[in-house]
């Protein structure tokens, strides 16, 4: 399974972005999907995760209410809608596929290249 995140960019504080991740290969609906981020000089951080059928979603406390994870299994795509962005959301955002919507990145089986999100103040 190969993953590629897209949709990052430069946005002003308070703005929105929608990230996409479209895995190639494998049975997409059989994988839970997670989003993680890593800012310069910081550890990788859990953002959100969704179960294979999209019925269960999980968020980091600091993102809940601002970020929404969703998936379209017909399009083999997982999304991360980010609203009310803050400068501290600046990071490289990556998607991952795993057997369950874990919060620990080490439990995911497949990772893709990330996309840069920069929020200016």
């Amino acid at each position: 399974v190969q993953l590629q995140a897209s949709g990052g960019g430069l946005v002003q504080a308070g703005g929105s972005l929608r990230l996409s991740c479209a895995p190639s290969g494998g049975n997409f609906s059989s994988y839970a999907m997670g989003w993680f981020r890593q800012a310069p000089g910081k550890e990788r951080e859990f953002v959100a995760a969704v179960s294979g059928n999209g019925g269960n979603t999980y968020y980091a406390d600091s993102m809940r209410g601002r970020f929404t994870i969703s998936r379209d299994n017909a399009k083999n795509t997982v999304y991360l809608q980010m609203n009310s962005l803050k400068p501290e959301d600046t990071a490289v955002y990556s998607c991952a596929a795993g057997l369950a919507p874990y919060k620990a990145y080490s439990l995911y089986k497949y990772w893709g290249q990330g996309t840069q999100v920069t929020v200016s103040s």
Side-chain angles (χ1 to χ4, degrees):
V1 177
Q2 295 182 321
L3 306 174
Q4 179 64 57
S6 62
L10 173 64
V11 64
Q12 289 187 332
S16 300
L17 281 175
R18 188 177 78 158
L19 307 183
S20 300
C21 176
S24 61
N27 183 1
F28 178 67
S29 62
S30 69
Y31 290 106
M33 300 296 297
W35 284 99
F36 291 79
R37 70 184 186 184
Q38 188 165 21
K42 295 187 177 181
E43 293 188 354
R44 190 175 299 175
E45 178 183 25
F46 170 76
V47 175
V50 60
S51 59
N53 63 7
N56 295 293
T57 56
Y58 306 88
Y59 297 92
D61 289 343
S62 62
M63 289 77 160
R64 187 176 291 113
R66 297 190 300 124
F67 292 7
T68 302
I69 188 171
S70 63
R71 65 190 297 160
D72 185 339
N73 286 346
K75 296 182 178 180
N76 284 4
T77 303
V78 62
Y79 304 98
L80 183 68
Q81 178 67 43
M82 306 186 294
N83 299 327
S84 302
L85 283 163
K86 306 174 182 180
E88 51 264 43
D89 293 319
T90 295
V92 174
Y93 285 71
S94 301
C95 59
L99 298 179
Y102 306 112
K103 293 185 177 181
Y105 67 84
S106 61
L107 297 178
Y108 283 82
K109 189 172 183 179
Y110 302 105
W111 284 89
Q113 288 189 330
T115 185
Q116 176 71 47
V117 172
T118 303
V119 184
S120 63
S121 57

